[in-house]
Structure formats: structure tokens, C-alpha cells
């Protein structure tokens, strides 16, 4: 939510930066640009999330997000401002390198905002629907493992929107029930 607002409110300022593209250029097919941009940004987000778990400083900052003992939609918004600020500039760097229009960044942030609220929710979907959605989207059961107090599960299922990256890079763990959600002292030692 914060990132979407920041992207939208900074658009007049961002258009003055030489290496940022605000709208798709006339020669670009906006559909291809949007789909490719979302895939590239999601790939970058996957690696950003893994980095947050691997780097000792950012892990401590990121654990604010993991501090809930119960995962629900409010967990989506529990981030340290340092993580949000660095993540936002990381995404702007990705947009600059790959010439992803800022309007695609806003689209991606909107999608991940709603999907984040969805996959952090404590709802149980019909198993058939969830199985279908898990083919391409992060769902509550897919992401629930990630908030486990057991490190082998907490250090898995990093995806924020698309599930492909966890499956490609072998960080996927199948959905399981975990009675212990949130932080324990061992998280700081991973």
C-alpha cells in the first residue's frame, strides 16, 4: 500500500529522471511491456525477499514482518521503514535498467498489494480452487509456511505474487500446518 502511494505520488518527480520511463514508448506494445515488466519486477522481488533472509542486517529489519504470532491481512503492512525505502529504490533501479515504465511499477505494486493482503489472510479456500491458483499465484496456504517459526519453512516460499521462482530455485515447500507462527530466538541466528 505504501509503495503504491509512493510510486503514484512521486510520478511527477520521477519523470524528470533521465533513465526512468513513465509511460510505454509509442513503439512499445503496452501489453508486452506490462507482462514483461511484471515478470521482471516479481523476479527482482523474489531475490530481494531472499536477500532479506540471508543478510544479517536486513534479516533483523525484515523480522518485523515476521513478528506476528498469527498471520492475517494486517501482516501485509508490517514492514520497517528502512526495508520499504531500500526496496522502493531497488525497484526503481530495476525499472531503470530494464526500461520498465513507472506505470507498470504502479500496476505491479497494486497487484502485489492486493495479492499480499490475500496471501497473508487467514482464510481457507476450497482445496480445488487453491490448487488451481497455486499453479501461478501465491495463496494463503502457499505463503503460510514462510511465516513458520521453523527455519526450514521460514526460509522457503519467498514469492510475493508468482509462484514460479520458488519452484525454479527450489525454495518451495508444500503447504503444511504449523502451530508455531512468528519469531523465536533461533530466527536471528539463521
Amino acid at each position: 500500500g505504501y509503495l503504491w502511494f509512493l510510486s503514484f505520488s512521486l510520478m511527477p518527480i520521477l519523470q524528470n529522471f533521465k533513465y526512468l520511463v513513465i509511460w510505454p514508448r509509442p513503439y512499445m506494445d503496452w501489453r508486452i511491456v506490462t507482462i514483461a515488466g511484471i515478470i521482471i519486477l516479481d523476479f527482482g522481488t523474489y531475490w530481494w525477499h531472499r536477500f532479506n533472509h540471508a543478510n544479517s542486517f536486513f534479516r533483523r529489519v525484515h523480522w518485523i514482518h515476521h513478528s506476528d504470532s498469527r498471520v492475517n491481512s494486517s501482516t501485509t503492512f508490517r514492514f520497517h521503514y528502512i526495508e520499504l525505502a531500500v526496496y522502493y529504490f531497488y525497484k526503481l533501479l530495476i525499472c531503470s535498467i530494464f526500461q520498465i515504465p513507472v506505470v507498470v511499477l504502479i500496476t505491479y505494486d497494486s497487484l502485489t498489494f492486493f495479492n499480499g493482503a490475500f496471501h497473508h489472510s487467514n482464510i481457507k479456500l476450497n482445496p480445488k480452487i487453491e490448487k488451481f491458483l497455486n499453479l501461478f499465484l501465491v495463496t494463503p496456504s502457499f505463503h503460510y509456511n514462510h511465516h513458520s517459526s521453523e527455519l526450514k519453512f521460514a526460509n522457503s516460499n519467498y514469492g510475493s505474487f508468482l509462484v514460479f521462482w520458488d519452484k525454479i530455485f527450489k525454495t518451495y515447500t508444500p503447504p503444511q500446518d504449523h502451530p508455531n507462527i512468528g519469531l523465536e530466538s533461533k530466527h536471528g541466528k539463521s
Side-chain angles (χ1 to χ4, degrees):
Y2 306 116
L3 294 176
W4 180 87
F5 174 75
L6 192 58
S7 296
F8 190 73
S9 62
L10 290 178
M11 192 180 278
I13 298 167
L14 295 174
Q15 67 187 354
N16 294 320
F17 287 94
K18 180 179 171 181
Y19 299 105
L20 282 178
V21 178
I22 301 299
W23 301 101
R25 304 239 164 86
Y27 57 84
M28 298 175 167
D29 181 328
W30 67 269
R31 294 165 292 216
I32 293 171
V33 169
T34 302
I35 292 168
I38 287 170
I39 290 169
I40 292 167
L41 285 164
D42 200 59
F43 181 71
T45 298
Y46 168 83
W47 285 104
W48 168 255
H49 199 170
R50 280 190 73 170
F51 171 77
N52 274 280
H53 281 252
N55 177 278
S56 62
F57 173 76
F58 280 101
R59 181 176 52 242
R60 286 190 297 276
V61 171
H62 182 65
W63 284 147
I64 289 173
H65 177 68
H66 285 263
S67 64
D68 271 347
S69 59
R70 293 184 321 175
V71 176
N72 58 48
S73 292
S74 71
T75 307
T76 308
F77 310 106
R78 188 168 286 110
F79 287 99
H80 195 282
Y81 69 92
I82 290 174
E83 182 178 357
L84 288 175
V86 176
Y87 176 51
Y88 185 77
F89 287 105
Y90 169 74
K91 287 196 298 184
L92 287 177
L93 179 64
I94 291 171
C95 287
S96 295
I97 292 169
F98 292 99
Q99 292 292 281
I100 298 169
V102 173
V103 72
V104 174
L105 172 61
I106 293 170
T107 302
Y108 175 73
D109 282 346
S110 298
L111 290 170
T112 56
F113 169 77
F114 288 110
N115 193 54
F118 168 64
H119 71 246
H120 284 103
S121 69
N122 52 7
I123 62 172
K124 296 277 187 206
L125 295 175
N126 175 300
K128 290 180 183 178
I129 293 171
E130 182 124 25
K131 186 176 180 179
F132 172 73
L133 290 176
N134 271 340
L135 295 173
F136 51 94
L137 288 178
V138 175
T139 64
S141 70
F142 182 95
H143 194 69
Y144 193 71
N145 280 359
H146 183 71
H147 284 269
S148 171
S149 60
E150 298 175 54
L151 279 179
K152 69 179 182 176
F153 296 113
N155 288 330
S156 70
N157 297 10
Y158 296 104
S160 294
F161 183 58
L162 302 171
V163 299
F164 309 121
W165 315 123
D166 284 300
K167 293 179 180 182
I168 291 169
F169 297 106
K170 301 193 183 326
T171 54
Y172 171 73
T173 56
Q176 299 178 25
D177 288 328
H178 295 283
N180 298 318
I181 296 296
L183 297 177
E184 288 185 358
S185 61
K186 64 183 175 182
H187 265 31
K189 298 176 185 173
S190 66

